Amino acid sequence: MRWQEQEPKAAPSADALLPLQGLVRSVQTPGFAGVTFHEVLAKSVLNKVPRTSSMPFGWTVNPYRGCSHACVYCFARKTHSYLDLDTGADFDSQLVVKMNAAEVLRRELARPSWQYEHVAMGANTDPYQRAEGRYKLMPGIIRALADSGTPFSILTKGTLLARDLPLLAEAAQQTSISMGISLALLDPDLAHRVEPGTPSPRARLDLIRRIRDAGMDCNVMAMPILPWLTDGDESLDTLFSALADAGATSVTAGALHLRPGAREWYRGWLASDYPQLSARYDKLYDGGTYASKDYRQWLAGRITHFKKRHGFAGRNQFLATRGAARPAPTTAAGLPVAAGTLF
């Protein structure tokens, strides 16, 4: 029995949903078979990233919790345990939707204390997963950020982003925007195995082209590179060649890491689909989050080689430095721009 073809789970009990403050209703729809949407009214949507974090940004916005992309390696799986939901099938199918995300964000950005720091989206779960086609939260979020003059970034595997390209091009005239597409492998069969709910690699290459055609830079996160599955020279050469052909501005690549939550789910999948690799992963990760230092250094060398071959050497990586606070936007006369105004 394949890893993704397990027996369907019963819906979570009412007790399991107690942590969902502001829950309005839980719904299912034929267009999303096996998925339950838990619609909530959020009190806050701006999440501060601890200063001790290695993340290159200070704030995040996540309109959804859980993700139907169902990537077996997703590092965000652990966050579902905070809701008393499991980090495997529940993460893929029990999705929390912050129905009022745009309105709450606009209020938070209007506070006098807001310092116009960079806000990252897609750092936890994908804002353009399939649910966005139903709930359409991102246009309001983009407008709130742009109207306030707050710089932001979007990282996604979702081709639904194409719907908002005209809005994003307009927003880029108002504030600094960084666009990132997550694409680390091109083999369609392997992609279906490890990222079963995502648009195909070819569709994401086309999205890169569309972003570039819209006049914006497009950075690529080629992560994770999977040991013994996508780390060979042929795989890396083909990937970087395709990204260059699509017009990617820069590429950031690195090895798979396995945090708790993701670790158990990925290793279960690996034992099912590639059992011959299990012992090698045992040795490479030694029960921890990161591959051995020797492996990471070896992979970094191969990545550097292929980045140079395909013209990516020396280009700035996606969000290479932590976003700093910027001055509040002003009018030509030097007066503060009121939150919610287009400038």
Side-chain angles (χ1 to χ4, degrees):
M1 181 171 66
R2 288 183 54 84
W3 183 248
Q4 278 84 14
E5 295 173 351
Q6 302 174 60
E7 289 296 321
K9 289 190 60 175
S13 68
D15 288 344
L17 298 177
L18 286 178
L20 293 183
Q21 294 184 0
L23 180 65
V24 176
R25 64 172 185 163
S26 297
V27 297
Q28 296 178 327
T29 177
F32 293 82
V35 174
T36 301
F37 296 110
H38 304 291
E39 300 173 353
V40 303
L41 296 179
K43 292 184 177 180
S44 175
V45 295
L46 268 176
N47 310 301
K48 186 170 179 59
V49 178
R51 286 290 176 185
T52 55
S53 171
S54 61
M55 292 294 100
F57 41 79
W59 298 83
T60 64
V61 167
N62 297 295
Y64 304 98
R65 296 185 69 170
C67 186
S68 61
H69 285 340
C71 302
V72 296
Y73 53 74
C74 182
F75 66 86
R77 288 183 173 276
K78 178 66 174 177
T79 61
H80 244 43
S81 67
Y82 308 152
L83 305 176
D84 289 339
L85 296 170
D86 75 52
T87 61
D90 283 350
F91 182 84
D92 302 338
S93 63
Q94 303 294 324
L95 307 183
V96 179
V97 184
K98 300 174 185 178
M99 301 291 290
N100 59 341
E103 300 94 310
V104 173
L105 178 60
R106 191 173 287 274
R107 290 199 301 269
E108 292 180 309
L109 296 174
R111 294 172 179 166
S113 59
W114 177 240
Q115 295 296 305
Y116 303 91
E117 293 183 67
H118 185 101
V119 173
M121 291 175 283
N124 190 32
T125 56
D126 199 318
Y128 283 102
Q129 60 180 285
R130 284 187 61 224
E132 174 60 16
R134 172 183 171 91
Y135 288 100
K136 300 178 175 62
L137 300 180
M138 284 300 290
I141 291 171
I142 292 167
R143 289 190 184 98
L145 290 163
D147 289 354
S148 73
T150 297
F152 65 90
S153 61
I154 297 173
L155 176 63
T156 184
K157 292 183 173 80
T159 51
L160 274 167
L161 179 140
R163 178 200 66 196
D164 293 340
L165 281 177
L167 176 61
L168 286 162
E170 179 184 345
Q173 303 303 312
Q174 302 169 261
T175 191
S176 173
I177 297 177
S178 298
M179 302 295 298
I181 300 301
S182 177
L183 178 58
L185 60 93
L186 297 181
D187 181 87
D189 177 67
L190 182 58
H192 181 69
R193 289 168 180 255
V194 297
E195 307 168 344
T198 64
S200 70
R202 181 175 296 276
R204 278 177 271 168
L205 288 171
D206 289 343
L207 179 60
I208 294 169
R209 294 185 179 94
R210 294 184 67 174
I211 293 171
R212 299 293 281 130
D213 288 345
M216 292 179 283
D217 287 347
C218 184
N219 307 281
V220 172
M221 291 290 285
M223 300 176 74
I225 304 299
L226 306 176
W228 299 296
L229 293 173
T230 62
D231 62 353
D233 280 2
E234 182 178 357
S235 294
L236 293 173
D237 189 39
T238 301
L239 174 64
F240 281 88
S241 175
L243 295 177
D245 182 66
T249 309
S250 70
V251 183
T252 303
L256 170 74
H257 61 264
L258 295 172
R259 297 181 184 174
R263 181 187 305 153
E264 297 83 0
W265 196 243
Y266 180 84
R267 291 302 306 269
W269 168 81
L270 191 76
S272 173
D273 281 36
Y274 296 94
Q276 71 276 18
L277 294 180
S278 288
R280 300 175 78 178
Y281 270 73
D282 288 341
K283 183 176 181 180
L284 183 64
Y285 285 87
D286 193 26
T289 296
Y290 300 101
S292 70
K293 183 178 180 180
D294 286 347
Y295 176 84
R296 286 183 280 126
Q297 290 178 335
W298 169 82
L299 181 60
R302 302 315 297 153
I303 289 169
T304 297
H305 170 77
F306 288 110
K307 286 180 72 170
K308 183 177 181 180
R309 172 180 286 187
H310 294 289
F312 292 110
R315 299 192 191 180
N316 290 332
Q317 297 186 359
F318 184 47
L319 302 181
T321 56
R322 192 180 181 102
R326 55 174 287 225
T330 60
T331 66
L335 300 175
V337 173
T341 349
L342 220 56
F343 63 96

